[in-house]
């Protein structure tokens, strides 16, 4: 009997939550570096900036059974002025980009957790090629601009579609195979 090469295992269950453990924060930083410095070449040696000192990192953690395994997605949020929040540095590991709704789940927790903290306006600079995803998630284009030598869209979330999530430290589970999201127990 002949067996061909097997695809690498990819988890199908993810917890999307605030990064609270040191390994989660390190995993988010590693993933951002891989995507923004390595893959996209947007930044030279490091993508970290002054916003990291005040931002709340959010992660998508792959689950092996009941055990957290690896950070496979991340985004950060921060309040720039009272009521005005920003999301930035959204990244999903290359092997997980087509697995399921990880990007959408990260966006959902980012906006909904800010909404729970008094957000009245949520903004992000989105790379133009990702504009359609954000429009499907009820974001509107405010203006087009160039950042880091690439076309971006300044976009604003429609908060009516993002009910407040108060327990973002626990977050929720996203199931890749079902494409669904369920609250964490």
């Amino acid at each position: 009997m002949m067996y061909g090469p097997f695809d690498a295992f990819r988890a199908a269950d993810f917890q999307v939550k605030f990064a609270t453990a040191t390994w989660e924060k390190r995993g988010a930083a590693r993933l951002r570096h891989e995507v923004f410095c390595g893959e996209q070449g947007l930044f030279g040696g490091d993508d970290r900036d002054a916003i990291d000192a005040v931002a709340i990192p959010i992660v998508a953690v792959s689950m092996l059974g009941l055990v957290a395994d690896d950070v496979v997605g991340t985004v950060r949020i921060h309040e720039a002025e009272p009521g005005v929040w920003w999301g930035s540095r959204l990244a999903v590991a290359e092997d997980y980009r087509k697995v399921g709704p990880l990007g959408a789940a990260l966006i959902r927790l980012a906006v909904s957790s800010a909404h729970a903290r008094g957000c009245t306006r949520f903004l992000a600079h989105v790379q133009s090629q990702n504009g359609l995803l954000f429009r499907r998630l009820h974001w509107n284009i405010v203006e087009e601009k160039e950042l880091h030598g690439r076309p971006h869209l300044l976009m604003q979330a429609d908060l009516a579609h993002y009910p407040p999530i108060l327990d973002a430290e626990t977050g929720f589970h996203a199931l890749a195979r079902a494409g669904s999201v369920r609250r964490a127990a």
Side-chain angles (χ1 to χ4, degrees):
M1 203 184 248
M2 296 286 294
Y3 291 102
F6 292 98
D7 289 337
F9 173 79
R10 285 180 197 82
D13 189 17
F14 308 92
Q15 184 176 14
V16 180
K17 62 186 277 306
F18 278 7
T20 54
T22 301
W23 74 268
E24 293 169 337
K25 293 173 185 174
R26 285 185 185 142
R30 172 195 46 80
L31 180 58
R32 282 175 38 183
H33 186 269
E34 287 173 10
V35 171
F36 298 116
C37 299
E39 269 182 52
Q40 297 181 3
L42 287 175
F43 305 99
D46 195 1
D47 76 305
R48 294 187 55 81
D49 60 20
I51 293 171
D52 285 306
V54 297
I56 300 169
I58 297 172
V59 292
V61 177
S62 61
M63 303 296 289
L64 296 177
L66 298 174
V67 179
D69 180 51
D70 192 17
V71 172
V72 296
T74 188
V75 68
R76 67 180 182 180
I77 61 172
H78 78 283
E79 187 174 27
E81 58 188 76
V84 179
W85 285 72
W86 285 81
S88 56
R89 301 295 202 270
L90 175 65
V92 175
E94 186 174 18
D95 287 348
Y96 288 86
R97 290 183 191 147
K98 295 193 173 153
V99 172
L102 288 182
L106 286 159
I107 293 164
R108 176 177 165 232
L109 187 63
V111 180
S112 293
S113 61
H115 197 180
R117 287 161 176 73
C119 175
T120 57
R121 188 171 189 213
F122 194 99
L123 301 163
H125 287 117
V126 176
Q127 291 184 28
S128 293
Q129 73 266 18
N130 297 322
L132 181 59
L133 168 65
F134 280 77
R135 290 187 50 99
R136 287 181 178 154
L137 296 173
H138 305 283
W139 287 62
N140 299 305
I141 298 171
V142 176
E143 73 177 292
E144 296 181 26
K145 54 183 14 181
E146 189 171 304
L147 294 172
H148 309 292
R150 300 223 175 136
H152 281 71
L153 303 169
L154 173 59
M155 299 188 78
Q156 180 173 332
D158 180 349
L159 293 177
H161 292 278
Y162 294 91
I165 292 179
L166 298 171
D167 57 347
E169 289 79 12
T170 304
F172 52 80
H173 286 271
L175 296 172
R177 61 188 162 268
S180 64
V181 172
R182 60 181 159 80
R183 298 292 293 168

